[in-house]
Amino acid sequence: MENSLGLEIIEVVEQAAIASARLMGKGDKNEADRVAVEAMRERMNKIYMRGRIVIGEGERDDAPMLYIGEEVGICSQPNAAELCSIDELLEIDIAVDPCEGTNLCAYGQPGSMAVLAISEKGGLFAAPDFYMKKLAAPPAAKGKVDINKSATENLKILSQCLDRSIEELVVVVMKRERHNELIAEIRAAGARVALISDGDVGAAINCGFAGTGIHALMGIGAAPEGVISAAALRCMDAHFQGQLIYDPAIVKTGLIGESKEANIARLLEMGITDPDKVYTAEELACGENVLFAGTGITSGNIMDGVRFFKGGARTHTLVISSQSKTARFVDTIHMNGKGGTIALK
Ligand SMILES: O=C(COP(=O)(O)O)[C@@H](O)[C@H](O)[C@H](O)[C@H](O)COP(=O)(O)O
Ligand SMILES: [Mn+2]
Ligand SMILES: [Mn+2]
């Protein structure tokens, strides 16, 4: 999968990031999102694969979004019979967030990315558009920290696993009212808190690398982003756990269905009989082969954003593979038209 699709997948996230980056700082998050979706779809539909979106922009409606269940790849084209032999192509499940951190992009803030995860059919958890309580931590703490434990207990465990004092730990938490107690607890335990307004996929991935200055992600974000984060962290043997949150009273933003009971019923309809189950990274991204790819739209901790120059653009992409056990940083110069002088600095 990595050999046949790796480079193509890189181009998918690169094109989405370039499209979105043209709208960086323009204050229009919907447009930044829309152009990323269009660019992602256009590039994805040239790939020789039988792709299916399992995490996208919601169920099919009139919007031209990458919707859940959408078939992508060369075989989804109207003239597919002339272009490919369907039975010979790989069946791939794809989770996408063409512009993760649309607010960050729209307001010129750091950390927005075009991201996706792929696996063979059935290899990614088709998470509902709910919230998810998340715990991400470095490989050294994998299976030792636990989302069922308190933040205070997890910080003690992290401190032992990373051989540093609690005061030397930094935990990323999304700045939301629902996290006020969590933030107070982390601070009281002695650790430092890095608050983010958006973009918890980037925060989770930061936990997978040493040297980012980020040692854990705690709190509640969106479930689809949880699956994409889990895919990346699974490839790195880092820690990720996620638990669906279906009670609007916990989330507090109110963007989660009518009531707790209605949400539980919706989960049941989807075949989720234990709504409180804690999922590991390996359950959320259970495929034999999993590939994560993300291109910086605006610059973040581990990736530069898109830089435009006369006649082209330069992108920075992270590709993590469970198959080859690699995390590759790909620095690409995109030459529009005839090319010309390429300035490296
Ligand atoms: O910040 C985020 C927004 O993602 P996007 O819509 O693709 O720009 C995500 O990283 C978060 O995980 C999540 O979507 C967020 O926590 C849910 O929104 P909120 O209700 O404001 O907490
Ligand atoms: Mn997102
Ligand atoms: Mn998005």
Side-chain angles (χ1 to χ4, degrees), residues 97 99-101 225:
D97 195 344
C99 182
E100 153 64 355
E225 277 86 342

Side-chain angles (χ1 to χ4, degrees), residues 33 57 96-102 113 225:
D33 208 14
E57 304 276 334
V96 301
D97 195 344
C99 182
E100 153 64 355
T102 43
M113 302 181 295
E225 277 86 342

Side-chain angles (χ1 to χ4, degrees), residues 56-300:
E57 304 276 334
E59 309 294 332
R60 180 173 205 167
D61 53 20
D62 291 336
M65 294 300 184
L66 279 161
Y67 60 86
I68 296 164
E70 179 171 344
E71 293 193 0
V72 289
I74 200 96
C75 293
S76 67
Q77 297 309 290
N79 55 340
E82 296 161 27
L83 302 171
C84 60
S85 165
I86 287 183
D87 297 335
E88 289 168 14
L89 298 180
L90 271 177
E91 282 191 275
I92 300 290
D93 277 358
I94 310 172
V96 301
D97 195 344
C99 182
E100 153 64 355
T102 43
N103 280 318
L104 301 174
C105 175
Y107 299 111
Q109 300 293 310
S112 61
M113 302 181 295
V115 292
L116 60 72
I118 67 171
S119 186
E120 65 273 2
K121 195 177 178 188
L124 297 169
F125 179 62
D129 198 10
F130 275 37
Y131 282 77
M132 183 181 270
K133 183 177 170 186
K134 307 174 188 181
L135 175 63
K142 187 177 176 64
K144 294 181 175 134
V145 288
D146 186 345
I147 205 166
N148 289 315
K149 293 192 163 103
S150 69
T152 310
E153 284 176 279
N154 280 327
L155 287 167
K156 282 183 194 152
I157 297 168
L158 257 182
S159 131
Q160 283 157 8
C161 294
L162 301 180
D163 193 21
R164 54 169 64 215
S165 72
I166 293 182
E167 286 70 23
E168 288 166 343
L169 296 173
V170 176
V171 182
V172 175
V173 181
M174 293 190 80
K175 191 174 188 318
R176 297 290 186 278
E177 192 195 337
R178 60 178 175 264
H179 294 146
N180 286 351
E181 281 177 23
L182 172 66
I183 293 165
E185 183 182 344
I186 296 168
R187 288 176 177 157
R192 293 167 296 154
V193 178
L195 290 173
I196 55 167
S197 63
D198 293 276
D200 67 358
V201 175
I205 293 171
N206 269 277
C207 299
F209 292 99
T212 59
I214 290 170
H215 309 103
L217 165 74
M218 295 183 186
I220 296 169
E225 277 86 342
V227 175
I228 297 176
S229 305
L233 293 187
R234 180 210 136 169
C235 295
M236 301 175 83
D237 273 336
H239 184 92
F240 187 89
Q241 284 171 296
Q243 184 178 36
L244 293 173
I245 299 292
Y246 48 82
D247 185 350
I250 294 177
V251 174
K252 292 197 170 86
T253 48
L255 302 169
I256 185 183
E258 291 156 28
S259 66
K260 179 177 162 182
E261 293 69 29
N263 285 338
I264 293 175
R266 214 185 116 201
L267 289 175
L268 255 178
E269 269 172 39
M270 298 176 70
I272 299 174
T273 50
D274 178 4
D276 296 311
K277 179 177 164 57
V278 170
Y279 296 88
T280 61
E282 289 68 24
E283 287 169 321
L284 294 169
C286 67
E288 196 184 333
N289 297 307
V290 174
L291 196 68
F292 165 90
T295 300
I297 299 172
T298 54
S299 293

Side-chain angles (χ1 to χ4, degrees), residues 10-34:
I10 292 171
E11 289 185 2
V12 170
V13 279
E14 285 178 344
Q15 291 307 317
I18 290 171
S20 243
R22 291 192 193 285
L23 291 162
M24 192 274 277
K26 298 279 189 180
D28 188 347
K29 61 179 270 190
N30 292 338
E31 192 57 7
D33 208 14
R34 189 189 68 75

